[in-house]
Amino acid sequence: MRTPEILLLGGPNSGKTHYAGQLYGRLKRRPKNLKIRSGDGSSVNLTALEGVLTNLEDGNAAEHTPSEQYDQILFPLVDSKNNELDLYWPDYGGEQLKLLFQQREVPAAWRERLESSNGWLLFIRLSSETTYPDAIAKLASLPEQRPEKNLRQETWDANAYWIELLQILCSVANYGITSKESKPPLAILLSCFDEYRTEGKEPKDVLKETLPLFYKFISSNWLESNLSIWGVSALGKSLSHDSNDDDFIDDGPEYQGWVIPHNETYENTDLTAPICWLIDKTT
């Protein structure tokens, strides 16, 4: 029987590097609900992740990962019920996903990986997303105001970007665009969630307020039981390359960071929770 495979997807600067390092630190030093499968440790790119941990142990942010240095990472995992899962980063640097969108061309390796995947883990950093106001509604309310010239935006609105990208991925993976039942479980991780002050709000409400069209798209095209939205702060706070944060130095990075589960408002220190949710959906 084939081991289920989950793809972790996200563009550059979406928080994947710190999440990868923190996940590896927990699996290595504080395994709880998940651990690296015995005998498969060589499959993990230790050089990439150890470098992230080293920076965090000094209380500093990790360096940006060059896209050409570590193009992919594989975590062979097993949960407390002995369910096995391969967590796969097909694009650790995040540049390939952006090129896939820009060029509308999907390499054979990506096609094979998407077709064989059983679930998707998608990173979105809301604070880095670009959105535009509703110009038509604004003009309708103020008809006397007209733009002096036609201003064409070079950057896609994030709502349109993520809708288009998911449609590309679904098409390549041979999932019906309009069929809810055919699509894989999708966990959306709203990364760097500590950048928001959202006390009392569920992550899905924050996504709905920030990217309403995208939220409507995923709600309409995924089964409710196969969709979850999480707030994630892999570090629990912002670090710089020379912050030398005492909490990370004294306690260790494996004690930092949290997630806010789907349909909840509290912080959970188990960074593996979104992965465990996907395991439950794919096993």
Side-chain angles (χ1 to χ4, degrees), residues 62-76:
E63 298 292 335
H64 175 69
T65 305
S67 58
E68 70 277 3
Q69 186 174 359
Y70 303 110
D71 61 343
Q72 58 187 25
I73 289 179
L74 170 65
F75 269 120

Side-chain angles (χ1 to χ4, degrees), residues 80-151:
S80 57
K81 301 176 183 177
N82 289 323
N83 294 313
E84 295 185 352
L85 177 84
D86 286 339
L87 179 61
Y88 192 82
W89 271 258
D91 176 21
Y92 185 57
E95 300 293 341
Q96 296 176 31
L97 194 67
K98 184 171 66 173
L99 288 175
L100 184 152
F101 173 83
Q102 293 173 343
Q103 300 175 357
R104 301 298 197 279
E105 184 176 351
V106 181
W110 267 86
R111 182 178 297 274
E112 294 173 3
R113 190 62 62 186
L114 287 166
E115 289 177 346
S116 65
S117 64
N118 303 94
W120 296 346
L121 198 64
L122 179 63
F123 272 71
I124 298 178
R125 185 175 182 178
L126 292 177
S127 61
S128 298
E129 299 294 344
T130 299
T131 58
Y132 301 110
D134 188 342
I136 295 178
K138 184 176 180 180
L139 289 175
S141 63
L142 298 170
E144 70 281 0
Q145 297 186 12
R146 294 292 185 271
E148 296 180 0
K149 59 181 180 179
N150 182 24
L151 299 178

Side-chain angles (χ1 to χ4, degrees), residues 2 6 20 31 61 77 81 98-99 103-104 127 174 184 194 208 213 228 241 256 270 275 281 283:
R2 188 178 69 87
I6 289 175
L77 303 174
K81 301 176 183 177
K98 184 171 66 173
L99 288 175
Q103 300 175 357
R104 301 298 197 279
S127 61
N174 295 316
D194 56 284
K208 185 177 182 180
L213 293 180
S228 65
H241 296 304
Q256 315 303 323
D270 183 9
I275 302 172
K281 296 297 178 179
T283 55

Side-chain angles (χ1 to χ4, degrees), residues 5-10 85 87-88 90 110-111 113-123 162 165-177 182-189 217-218 222 226-228 230 274-275 277-279 281-282:
E5 185 177 279
I6 289 175
L7 297 188
L8 191 150
L9 306 166
L85 177 84
L87 179 61
Y88 192 82
W110 267 86
R111 182 178 297 274
R113 190 62 62 186
L114 287 166
E115 289 177 346
S116 65
S117 64
N118 303 94
W120 296 346
L121 198 64
L122 179 63
F123 272 71
W162 288 111
L165 184 58
L166 278 181
Q167 289 188 112
I168 292 173
L169 297 179
C170 286
S171 177
V172 169
N174 295 316
Y175 296 126
I177 298 298
S182 68
K183 292 187 179 67
L186 172 65
I188 295 178
L189 273 58
F217 171 78
I218 57 176
W222 260 264
N226 276 351
L227 176 66
S228 65
W230 306 70
I275 302 172
W277 178 85
L278 280 170
I279 290 179
K281 296 297 178 179
T282 56

